[in-house]
Each structure stands twice: as C-alpha cells, then as structure tokens.
C-alpha cells in the first residue's frame, strides 16, 4: 500500500510490483499490428493452450474483449441473452448496441448466475421474420454485481448444451475466471470447454496494469482481430504489457486465495454489527454491504483513508486484491466498525 490509503474500490486499482515492472522493462518487443511482437505472441500462445482453445487475442480491456466476442459471433439485429446485472449490459457504454448492433434480452439469475432453464426459455429460435433471432448467450464468471458468485461447472456445461443444441454461441466474460477457479478448485479449461469464447482480464486480480485476452477457435479470433483493428485496439510494441500479463500468470494466480480469505475475514468481522447487512454471499474477493446511507458511509471512510465503492443509495462494494495486505484488512474492518457506530 502506498500513501497509507486502503483502496477497496476495485481490484483494478493494483499497481505493478517491482518484479512485474522489471519483467516489463526486459520485454522483447516488436510491432504487434504486424504480428511481430514476440512477447504478445508468447502470451497468446500460452493462454490459448492454458484455456484449451486454438487461438487467443490480447486486447486493451475486458470491455473490448466482450465487445469483440459479441461482434464476432452475431450479426446486427440478432439478440444476445445475458443476466440483467452483466457487465456488458450495464457498464460498457452501450457498445453492444452501438458497435455490435445487437438486441439484448436480460434475465434475472441468482446473484448474476443464469440457469440453463432460464436461458432456454429466453431463446428466440424460429425463422418467422417478425423476430430477432438469439445467436449468442453471455455468462459472467465470477459475477461482478452478484458479489463475486461462481458458476458451477455443471451449470456452464448445461448452458453450453442448451446453446449448442440450438446452434447458438456461448461467451464467458471471465474477467475474474481465476477467482472462480481458486474458489471452486477448478481449472479454467473446465469452464472453457463448454464455451465458444472465453475472455479474462490481467488488470484485475492478476495485478497487471493493462490488458485482457479473448480466446476461442481460430476463425472467430481472426474475425475478432479484424474488429480489434477497426476499433483502434491494435497496439504496436504491446510486448511491454504482455510481459506484465505473463508475469502475472507466473506469480499472481496462486495468491488469489489470499484475497478470498481476506474478504471472508472482513465479512466475518462485520457480521452482526447493527446497520450493516450483506445482500449476497461473498465466495471470492468481492463483498457487498448494505448500510443506511452509502454515500455518507463512503465519505466517512475516505476521511480515514479507506476507499470503498458506492453501489447504490444503500449499497457499498469492497474488493480485495494484491495491494491489500493484512494491515489494510484490519484498517478496513476498524474503519467500517467506526462508521457503523455513527449510523
Ligand atoms: C465482469 C467484468 N467484465 C468486464 C469488465 C471490463 O473490464 P475493463 O475495465 O478492462 O474494460 C469488468 C470490469 O470491471 C468486469 O468486472
């Protein structure tokens, strides 16, 4: 932690560690728009193999990964099915409508986790020209606004079966897929094998400064590559960023469990305190709290150097990550206790 601030607003606020910065400084680079950056190529090959797909594309953000998944697997006017709390529907500036030109059908899953039955009921499959056909289903694992909920592998498999039975595609927004793996004791391939495309972020729990990756079959990733270029996401000597991502895969995967453990300790320490309730389970690194006046609570916490994310008039989100150690955890607990005492 620098400057004594405990920043729990998101796991995107991490700063590269000295080791990561060193790896970035040493990175071999080339022009990735020409396909000549050895570090980017190494990252894409490594991730494709890890996920069990035959291609991967390094992109600047999770937003772009989701957008490329949509635009590469739908036609304008098609319908995409996703949970109502899903990131691309709520927090990606309407790119699905503006860029992919798709309609969205939102469903209410449990903590953001869809069931195969809900998905099946929502599909529009007939060829009557009055209708927009569903061509893509998108799931989020772990869920952001659902409190870091984890999809059971069997649910992903069943949703995959529903999608594939009807010749639809399934995308997994796995921004925090390794948090799901750490919590469930699964491998990323356990989820990916049921999905046509799966993306994840290096710039969240993995602690890299920039970057996400979209994986899938070679043909889909080739289409995504074209759209990445179109959207201005072709980066030149991006190997500096790929080196950070490679470093993160080598050094920051195992430690995600520590974030989950701290999230659990944080919650346990505050459970039962008058004025604080927990709207969702918190199985991974994200904890939502309901309080009588969230903006006031967030402002008071800020005065003690604790930054938390307002998520509604009564809701606060805190996220544990690489830059929050045990000292940060204790300060966060004390800060919330002190604020709660004034409710
Ligand atoms: C579940 C999920 N998907 C996608 C994104 C988008 O990632 P980015 O901020 O890199 O665009 C986020 C960001 O918080 C997220 O939580």
């Amino acid at each position: 932690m620098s400057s004594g601030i405990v920043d729990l607003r998101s796991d995107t606020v991490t700063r590269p560690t000295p080791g990561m910065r060193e790896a970035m400084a040493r990175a071999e680079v080339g022009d990735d728009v020409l396909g000549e950056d050895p570090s980017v190529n190494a990252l894409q090959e490594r991730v494709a193999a890890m996920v069990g797909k035959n291609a991967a594309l390094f992109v600047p953000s999770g937003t772009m990964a989701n957008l490329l998944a949509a635009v590469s697997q739908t036609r304008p006017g098609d319908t995409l099915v996703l949970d109502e709390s899903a990131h691309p529907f709520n927090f990606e500036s309407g790119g699905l409508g503006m860029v992919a030109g798709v309609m969205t059908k939102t469903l209410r899953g449990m903590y953001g986790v869809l069931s195969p039955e809900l998905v099946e009921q929502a599909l529009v499959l007939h060829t009557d020209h009055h209708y927009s056909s569903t061509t893509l289903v998108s799931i989020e694992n772990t869920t952001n606004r659902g409190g870091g909920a984890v999809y059971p592998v069997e649910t992903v498999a069943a949703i995959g079966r529903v999608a594939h039975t009807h010749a639809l595609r399934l995308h997994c927004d796995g921004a925090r897929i390794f948090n799901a793996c750490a919590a469930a004791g699964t491998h990323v391939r356990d989820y990916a094998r049921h999905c046509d495309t799966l993306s994840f972020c290096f710039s969240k729990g993995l602690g890299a400064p920039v970057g996400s990756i979209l994986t899938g079959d070679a043909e889909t990733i080739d289409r995504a590559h074209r759209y990445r270029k179109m959207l201005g996401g072709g980066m030149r000597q991006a190997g500096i960023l790929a080196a950070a991502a490679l470093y993160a895969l080598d050094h920051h995967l195992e430690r995600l469990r520590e974030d989950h453990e701290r999230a659990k300790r944080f919650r346990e320490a505050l459970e039962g305190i008058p004025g604080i309730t927990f709207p969702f389970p918190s199985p991974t690194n994200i904890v939502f709290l309901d309080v009588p006046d969230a903006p006031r609570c967030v402002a008071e916490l800020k005065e003690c150097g604790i930054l938390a994310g307002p998520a509604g008039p009564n809701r606060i989100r805190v996220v544990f990550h690489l830059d929050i150690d045990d000292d940060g955890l204790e300060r966060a607990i004390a800060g919330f206790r002190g604020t709660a005492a004034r409710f």
Side-chain angles (χ1 to χ4, degrees):
M1 260 178 300
S2 71
S3 63
I5 300 287
V6 181
D7 193 344
L8 297 159
R9 290 170 301 165
S10 175
D11 45 10
T12 57
V13 301
T14 57
R15 282 137 316 179
T17 60
M20 183 178 276
R21 284 173 188 266
E22 211 181 302
M24 295 171 77
R26 278 201 318 266
E28 273 189 67
V29 297
D31 188 334
D32 182 51
V33 172
L34 305 179
E36 291 173 3
D37 189 298
S39 303
V40 172
N41 291 340
L43 176 68
Q44 292 176 161
E45 280 162 30
R46 175 164 169 190
V47 169
M50 182 179 182
V51 172
K53 300 288 182 199
N54 52 25
L57 185 67
F58 188 50
V59 293
S61 64
T63 299
M64 189 179 281
N66 285 331
L67 186 56
L68 297 184
V71 80
S72 306
Q73 298 182 96
T74 59
R75 287 156 308 185
D78 286 356
T79 293
L80 187 165
V81 167
L82 72 181
D83 187 82
E84 64 182 8
S85 70
H87 203 274
F89 182 70
N90 292 284
F91 308 113
E92 297 183 7
S93 314
L96 290 176
M98 167 93 188
V99 182
V102 290
M103 310 263 287
T104 44
K105 170 92 178 164
T106 54
L107 306 176
R108 183 167 298 176
M110 177 75 105
Y111 311 127
V113 174
L114 295 175
S115 70
E117 294 79 19
L118 260 184
V119 170
E120 180 130 46
Q121 284 161 19
L123 305 180
V124 175
L125 301 163
H126 39 76
T127 50
D128 182 325
H129 288 178
H130 284 85
Y131 298 96
S132 157
S133 308
T134 312
T135 48
L136 183 62
V137 178
S138 183
I139 58 172
E140 189 171 302
N141 193 15
T142 63
T143 66
N144 178 337
R145 289 286 144 159
V150 179
Y151 264 87
V153 169
E154 308 77 57
T155 306
V156 179
I159 294 176
R161 273 196 300 279
V162 169
H164 298 140
T165 302
H166 300 296
L168 316 181
R169 293 289 187 108
L170 175 61
H171 170 62
C172 176
D173 171 0
R176 298 183 178 81
I177 195 72
F178 295 108
N179 293 92
C181 296
T186 46
H187 193 280
V188 61
R189 276 196 293 276
D190 298 336
Y191 302 109
R193 68 166 56 94
H194 306 292
C195 305
D196 299 284
T197 50
L198 180 143
S199 54
F200 66 83
C201 297
F202 297 105
S203 55
K204 300 195 166 62
L206 295 183
V210 179
S212 295
I213 199 153
L214 178 68
T215 68
D217 65 273
E219 204 184 306
T220 304
I221 296 303
D222 186 56
R223 276 201 298 280
H225 184 268
R226 175 179 169 75
Y227 290 119
R228 184 186 72 173
K229 185 77 187 90
M230 190 183 285
L231 294 170
M235 299 179 285
R236 300 292 178 175
Q237 284 71 38
I240 290 178
L241 302 175
L246 285 162
Y247 183 93
L249 292 176
D250 286 334
H251 298 90
H252 295 164
L253 275 181
E254 294 304 319
R255 62 154 308 285
L256 290 173
R257 280 192 191 84
E258 292 175 29
D259 298 336
H260 299 182
E261 184 54 34
R262 289 195 181 98
K264 187 162 168 257
R265 281 162 57 197
F266 172 79
R267 184 177 170 135
E268 282 169 1
L270 298 177
E271 235 147 11
I273 291 194
I276 298 181
T277 54
F278 296 90
F280 313 126
S282 316
T284 54
N285 64 329
I286 300 176
V287 183
F288 279 91
L289 307 91
D290 282 351
V291 295
D293 182 344
R296 204 190 92 201
C297 182
V298 167
E300 285 190 15
L301 287 165
K302 192 172 177 183
E303 281 177 20
C304 353
I306 294 154
L307 304 184
N314 304 104
R315 190 157 287 177
I316 296 176
R317 187 185 78 157
V318 303
V319 186
F320 288 85
H321 53 76
L322 186 60
D323 288 0
I324 304 293
D325 55 14
D326 281 340
D327 177 54
L329 167 66
E330 293 309 327
R331 285 186 52 204
I333 292 169
F336 270 90
R337 280 200 177 127
T339 308
R342 290 189 287 279
F343 288 156

